[in-house]
């Protein structure tokens, strides 16, 4: 007989979200999806190499009182082939080919899984947030430095969809429709919404989602742009907002499927 304590699944896992501007981490209660301690954030270094980020991860995780066997889930802004970085748009190019779970294990001493940041957010929203209990084809799009996408079919994730890099009207879609483009070009909500309309109608034509969930920090201001969109699918704001990556990654570390 396995003693009760060993039969129990992890109650808490640590989630990390590595982004273009910040690296954030918090321990997550896996029953509720809530943080069990305040989230910490460190600015992403200008030279965001694997070495520099590895040092930050060691410091970040070391600042929390974590059980030795607490798993770590990392959300990362690139497609990951079983943890290995395939290509990278918004961090240092030397990440290509890096085995991220191995780097995290080395830096922190904890077992780790690593997933694409939008995939992590999609799983977070599906397990604890706006898409909870929703079957069918669910697409989560995160609007931030880039555009991330997560595709869930009856709750199962189709990883690494990379729909932010669709070529639309001759442009890499995220270079025109990400929140960073709105900021860079100082676009009004109406002008930005036109670009989002073009983006989402293309995605809708390709995938016929039943539900689109819009995430990223800007989803806080969803009233300013979601009502301007006219799509067939229901489109709603994420509820975990920019916590979704941390929560989803932590949840995947404990329960991969
Ligand atoms: C990357 C994706 C990522 C998205 C959001 C894109 O540039 O290619 O992997 O999910 O940005 O960070």
């Amino acid at each position: 007989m396995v003693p009760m304590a060993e039969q129990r699944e992890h109650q808490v896992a640590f989630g990390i979200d590595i982004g273009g501007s910040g690296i954030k981490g918090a321990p997550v209660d896996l029953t509720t999806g809530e943080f069990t301690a305040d989230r910490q954030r460190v600015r992403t270094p200008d030279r965001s190499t694997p070495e520099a980020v590895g040092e930050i991860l060691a410091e970040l995780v070391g600042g929390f009182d974590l059980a030795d066997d607490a798993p770590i889930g990392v959300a990362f802004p690139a497609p990951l082939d079983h943890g290995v970085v395939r290509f990278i748009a918004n961090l240092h190019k030397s990440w290509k080919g890096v085995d991220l779970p191995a780097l995290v294990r080395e830096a922190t001493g904890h077992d780790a899984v690593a997933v694409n940041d939008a995939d992590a957010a999609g799983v977070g929203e599906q397990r604890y947030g706006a898409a909870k209990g929703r079957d069918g084809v669910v697409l989560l799009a995160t609007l931030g430095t880039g555009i991330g996408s997560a595709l869930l079919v009856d709750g199962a994730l189709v990883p690494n969809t990379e729909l932010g890099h669709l070529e639309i009207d001759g442009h890499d879609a995220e270079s025109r429709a990400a929140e960073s483009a709105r900021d860079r070009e100082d676009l009004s909500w109406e002008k930005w919404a036109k670009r989002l309309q073009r983006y989402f109608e293309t995605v809708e034509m390709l995938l016929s989602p039943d539900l689109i969930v819009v995430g990223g920090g800007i989803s806080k201001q969803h009233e300013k742009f979601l009502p301007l969109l006219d799509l067939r699918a229901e489109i709603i704001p994420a509820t975990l907002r920019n916590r979704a990556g941390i929560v989803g990654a932590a949840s995947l570390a404990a329960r991969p499927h």
Side-chain angles (χ1 to χ4, degrees):
M1 277 269 284
V2 183
M4 271 316 278
E6 285 174 35
Q7 282 179 24
R8 243 189 282 130
E9 287 188 359
H10 295 286
Q11 301 298 309
V12 171
F14 194 80
I16 297 175
D17 192 354
I18 300 179
S21 54
I23 300 175
K24 295 148 275 179
V28 177
D29 177 324
L30 298 170
T31 311
T32 60
E34 300 291 334
F35 293 167
T36 64
D38 285 347
R39 185 192 80 153
Q40 297 297 317
R41 181 182 192 276
V42 182
R43 213 177 63 79
T44 306
D46 292 336
R47 241 181 90 72
S48 52
T49 59
E51 294 69 31
V53 172
E55 280 171 27
I56 290 174
L57 296 185
E59 207 177 296
L60 185 70
V61 174
F64 288 87
D65 186 19
L66 279 189
D68 289 347
D69 65 347
I72 295 184
V74 182
F76 191 76
L80 293 170
D81 195 353
H82 303 280
V84 177
V85 180
R86 247 183 32 223
F87 71 81
I88 181 106
N90 294 315
L91 281 184
H92 200 267
K93 298 297 168 222
S94 59
W95 277 96
K96 187 171 167 358
V98 168
D99 180 335
L100 190 49
L103 183 144
V104 178
R105 223 172 290 126
E106 174 107 336
T108 67
H110 288 261
D111 278 348
V113 301
V115 289
N116 172 260
D117 56 0
D119 284 346
V123 169
E125 292 293 340
Q126 200 258 329
R127 292 186 181 176
Y128 305 99
K132 191 162 181 197
R134 296 294 298 253
D135 281 341
V137 177
V138 175
L139 177 83
L140 171 109
T142 61
L143 306 173
T145 310
I147 295 183
S149 62
L151 186 66
L152 294 131
V153 183
D154 291 338
L157 175 72
V158 180
N160 294 318
T161 43
E162 290 297 317
L163 298 176
H165 296 296
L166 281 175
E167 188 181 314
I168 301 179
D169 303 329
H171 299 275
D172 187 32
E174 71 175 23
S175 71
R176 307 259 307 153
E179 150 42 30
S180 59
R182 186 187 74 88
D183 204 33
R184 192 172 55 240
E185 298 180 46
D186 201 16
L187 299 175
S188 63
W189 293 107
E190 289 71 22
K191 285 211 169 118
W192 187 48
K194 282 210 175 100
R195 295 190 183 184
L196 289 176
Q197 173 70 28
R198 181 83 187 104
Y199 177 66
F200 284 120
E201 72 193 16
T202 306
V203 170
E204 187 163 64
M205 189 264 289
L206 294 170
L207 294 171
S208 302
D210 299 296
L211 174 69
I212 300 175
V213 181
V214 177
I218 196 70
S219 61
K220 258 196 277 241
Q221 299 187 66
H222 60 91
E223 294 99 344
K224 304 261 178 46
F225 61 97
L226 287 191
L228 305 179
L229 302 181
D230 180 18
L231 298 160
R232 188 195 53 79
E234 184 186 352
I235 183 162
I236 59 173
T239 52
L240 303 181
R241 309 265 160 79
N242 51 10
R243 291 193 299 124
I246 293 179
V247 172
S251 173
L252 282 165
R255 185 158 63 88
H257 303 288

